[in-house]
């Protein structure tokens, strides 16, 4: 499922909405999540999962081509933990 | 500034502000987005959201685990796990705001230089 397929599905379920409104709704949701994470906030969506950021400390990496040591700055990476309900749904045998 | 937690209510409010539907309908749409994504994943589909990231389901084999408290061995059954891979756009957004890098991304999109992070 891609973003446009998601938008089309929602548009079919909501025939009273314009496609462009559905597009705005979907992008607003993911923009909000992105903004929250970039502020360092956590996004918790019960039943679905939680997004947070994890800090990776500075380290000395290596250029895999030349073998040369390079300093890698501290950085943050987004992290997603699956919610309980979704985790259970993934594992129910159908 | 202590980090706070964003919930469905915040997303609903953002949709309400942005699109001008009622709060109730905004809440329903937030819920629909999450349930459509969940349903696709439960069907075994991958969910790809450009400029955000992709969710996929991975099958894990059985293995022996250990109860860290008692040291006792416990079998871990084969199971499915959900994996989120953030897009480059999302990773860059997070580091831009968090660590205050400036410039560089337009040129090459490489890792930020180690020495010259402007304070």
């Amino acid at each position: 499922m891609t973003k446009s397929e998601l938008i089309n599905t929602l548009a079919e379920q909501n025939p009273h909405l314009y496609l462009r409104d559905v597009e705005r709704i979907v992008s607003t949701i993911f923009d909000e999540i992105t903004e929250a994470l970039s502020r360092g906030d956590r996004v918790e969506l019960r039943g679905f999962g939680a997004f947070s950021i994890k800090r990776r400390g500075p380290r000395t990496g290596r250029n895999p081509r030349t073998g040369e040591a390079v300093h890698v700055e501290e950085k943050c990476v987004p992290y997603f933990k699956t919610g309980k309900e979704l985790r259970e749904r993934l594992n129910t045998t159908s | 500034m202590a980090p706070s937690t964003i919930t469905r209510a915040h997303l609903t409010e953002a949709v309400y502000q942005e699109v001008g539907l009622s709060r109730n309908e905004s809440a329903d749409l937030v819920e629909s987005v999450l349930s459509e994504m969940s349903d696709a994943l439960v069907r075994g589909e991958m969910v790809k959201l450009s400029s955000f990231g992709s969710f996929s389901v991975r099958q894990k084999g059985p293995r022996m685990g250990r109860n860290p408290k008692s040291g006792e061995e416990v079998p871990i059954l084969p199971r499915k796990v959900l994996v989120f891979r953030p897009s480059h756009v999302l990773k860059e957004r997070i580091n831009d705001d968090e660590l205050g890098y400036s410039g560089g991304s337009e040129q090459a999109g490489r890792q930020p230089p180690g020495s010259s992070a402007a304070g």
Side-chain angles (χ1 to χ4, degrees):
Chain A
M1 172 185 270
T2 60
K3 195 190 279 180
S4 54
E5 286 166 355
L6 174 62
I7 290 166
N8 288 334
T9 307
L10 294 165
E12 280 168 29
Q13 292 168 358
N14 297 276
H16 59 293
L17 297 179
Y18 290 113
L19 187 65
R20 58 145 217 273
D21 287 335
V22 180
E23 281 168 354
R24 275 169 71 201
I25 291 162
V26 171
S27 48
T28 299
I29 292 171
F30 294 103
D31 287 353
E32 273 307 297
I33 298 175
T34 303
E35 269 169 43
L37 292 173
S38 68
R39 290 193 301 267
D41 288 347
R42 183 184 149 81
V43 181
E44 193 176 301
L45 304 165
R46 286 282 162 90
F48 182 76
F51 297 91
S52 57
I53 58 166
K54 291 206 163 176
R55 198 172 289 270
R56 298 272 179 267
R59 63 186 171 89
T60 304
R62 235 167 239 290
N63 180 330
R65 205 170 308 177
T66 63
E68 182 195 2
V70 274
H71 177 70
V72 180
E73 284 283 284
E74 173 190 76
K75 64 176 178 182
C76 292
V77 294
Y79 174 75
F80 176 76
K81 184 170 191 272
T82 314
K84 194 174 171 219
E85 193 191 312
L86 181 53
R87 196 181 343 118
E88 284 169 359
R89 276 189 69 199
L90 288 172
N91 287 293
T92 46
T93 43
S94 45
Chain B
M1 189 182 69
S4 53
T5 300
I6 301 304
T7 62
R8 276 177 175 75
H10 297 83
L11 300 183
T12 297
E13 189 61 25
V15 169
Y16 170 75
Q17 299 281 347
E18 179 71 26
V19 190
L21 306 171
S22 71
R23 281 202 168 82
N24 260 333
E25 200 172 7
S26 302
D28 288 347
L29 277 148
V30 169
E31 205 50 58
S32 297
V33 167
L34 298 177
S35 66
E36 284 305 321
M37 287 171 67
S38 304
D39 290 352
L41 292 163
V42 170
R43 289 195 299 268
E45 270 181 56
M46 194 174 173
V47 175
K48 288 187 193 176
L49 304 164
S50 62
S51 79
F52 186 75
S54 60
F55 298 86
S56 55
V57 179
R58 192 178 290 168
Q59 176 74 50
K60 299 273 237 179
R63 64 184 170 91
M64 282 312 272
R66 207 175 268 282
N67 180 331
K69 215 172 281 180
S70 63
E72 185 191 355
E73 280 208 327
V74 260
I76 296 176
L77 299 173
R79 67 206 197 284
K80 284 175 180 160
V81 294
L82 180 51
V83 186
F84 173 63
R85 286 204 58 203
S87 76
H88 280 286
V89 180
L90 179 58
K91 286 194 212 168
E92 271 167 30
R93 276 292 312 274
I94 281 163
N95 285 292
D96 280 350
D97 291 27
E98 192 65 19
L99 297 173
Y101 298 134
S102 54
S105 56
E106 211 176 325
Q107 287 256 323
R110 292 271 115 189
Q111 282 165 338
S115 51
S116 61

